[in-house]
Amino acid sequence: LAGVVLAGLALPAAPLLARRQALGVRAAARMALATQALAGLPDPLMFGPFAIDESQVFLASTLSMGVVNLKPIVPGHVLIVPKRVTARLKDLSAEEVSDLFLAAQRTAAALEKHYAAEAMTVSVQDGAAAGQTVPHVHVHVLPRRSGDFTPNDAVYDELDAAGQRMASDLNLDAERRPRTREEMAAEALELRALFAAG
């Protein structure tokens, strides 16, 4: 990615296992409550044409859900999607749009604190010409820090490039390898605890 400097991507976070061990009994109970709160997920659970596992879901609202990203461009990069598979934002009902963006707002607030981020990027690529590669409305939520992308708007170029790489099945971004189901499930479990209290 010419002209883009990715710096400071290592947001303050201990290794996942160590953090989970440090959470203690109270946090484990919160995680259990958060897992129970995922009731009402669609069956089958889909992201566009792709089946996803419930273990990758960290948040469920009435009409939306939060899922961890297969190839995040920064730590904490997640997606908020409507439960109903719908390609375009214009095709969502008013209730779905409201629920989707309230879930995105709630997620952004929780992740900003969790990752000690300075700001958040909340973005929608609506349609193929806008860079959308999976035909299912989704809101990207990314924790941000000063200088993590130079220039700052290069984050949008990276989102677009990441989508194009995934769409073409080329492995041009070997440093951003697809994560395993286990890695994604571990992150989703950790993030569920952020939403257990309400």
Side-chain angles (χ1 to χ4, degrees):
L1 193 57
V4 175
V5 176
L6 299 176
L9 292 182
L11 296 175
L16 194 55
L17 181 59
R19 277 189 286 170
R20 223 176 273 117
Q21 290 171 341
L23 289 175
V25 175
R26 195 160 73 172
R30 287 181 55 198
M31 282 186 185
L33 287 173
T35 301
Q36 292 170 0
L38 296 181
L41 291 175
D43 186 20
L45 192 54
M46 303 295 291
F47 177 46
F50 306 106
I52 59 173
D53 192 272
E54 184 176 318
S55 68
Q56 297 166 6
V57 178
F58 66 87
L59 173 71
S61 64
T62 304
L63 300 172
S64 304
M65 57 189 173
V67 297
V68 296
N69 200 327
L70 178 64
K71 294 179 100 177
I73 65 171
V74 295
H77 175 190
V78 299
L79 305 174
I80 308 300
V81 302
K83 290 179 179 177
R84 181 171 65 96
V85 177
T86 305
R88 299 289 307 277
L89 187 64
K90 67 182 180 180
D91 298 324
L92 293 175
S93 69
E95 293 81 13
E96 287 171 313
V97 171
S98 177
D99 190 82
L100 181 72
F101 282 96
L102 286 171
Q105 180 186 44
R106 182 176 176 208
T107 298
L111 294 183
E112 184 171 354
K113 181 177 178 184
H114 183 70
Y115 285 96
E118 297 172 28
M120 301 298 292
T121 291
V122 178
S123 175
V124 176
Q125 296 162 300
D126 190 31
Q132 182 184 21
T133 56
V134 176
H136 189 161
V137 175
H138 53 285
V139 180
H140 294 266
V141 179
L142 297 87
R144 298 291 307 278
R145 304 188 119 226
S146 296
D148 58 0
F149 287 88
T150 305
N152 192 42
D153 280 352
V155 67
Y156 300 109
D157 295 333
E158 180 60 19
L159 281 171
D160 189 43
Q164 290 175 11
R165 288 188 297 260
M166 288 180 75
S168 67
D169 284 332
L170 293 176
N171 191 14
L172 299 177
D173 58 337
E175 72 281 1
R176 283 186 46 241
R177 66 172 176 71
R179 299 186 301 165
T180 66
R181 284 181 182 238
E182 292 78 17
E183 290 170 320
M184 293 171 71
E187 181 185 16
L189 184 62
E190 178 182 353
L191 296 179
R192 283 179 201 158
L194 303 177
F195 301 96

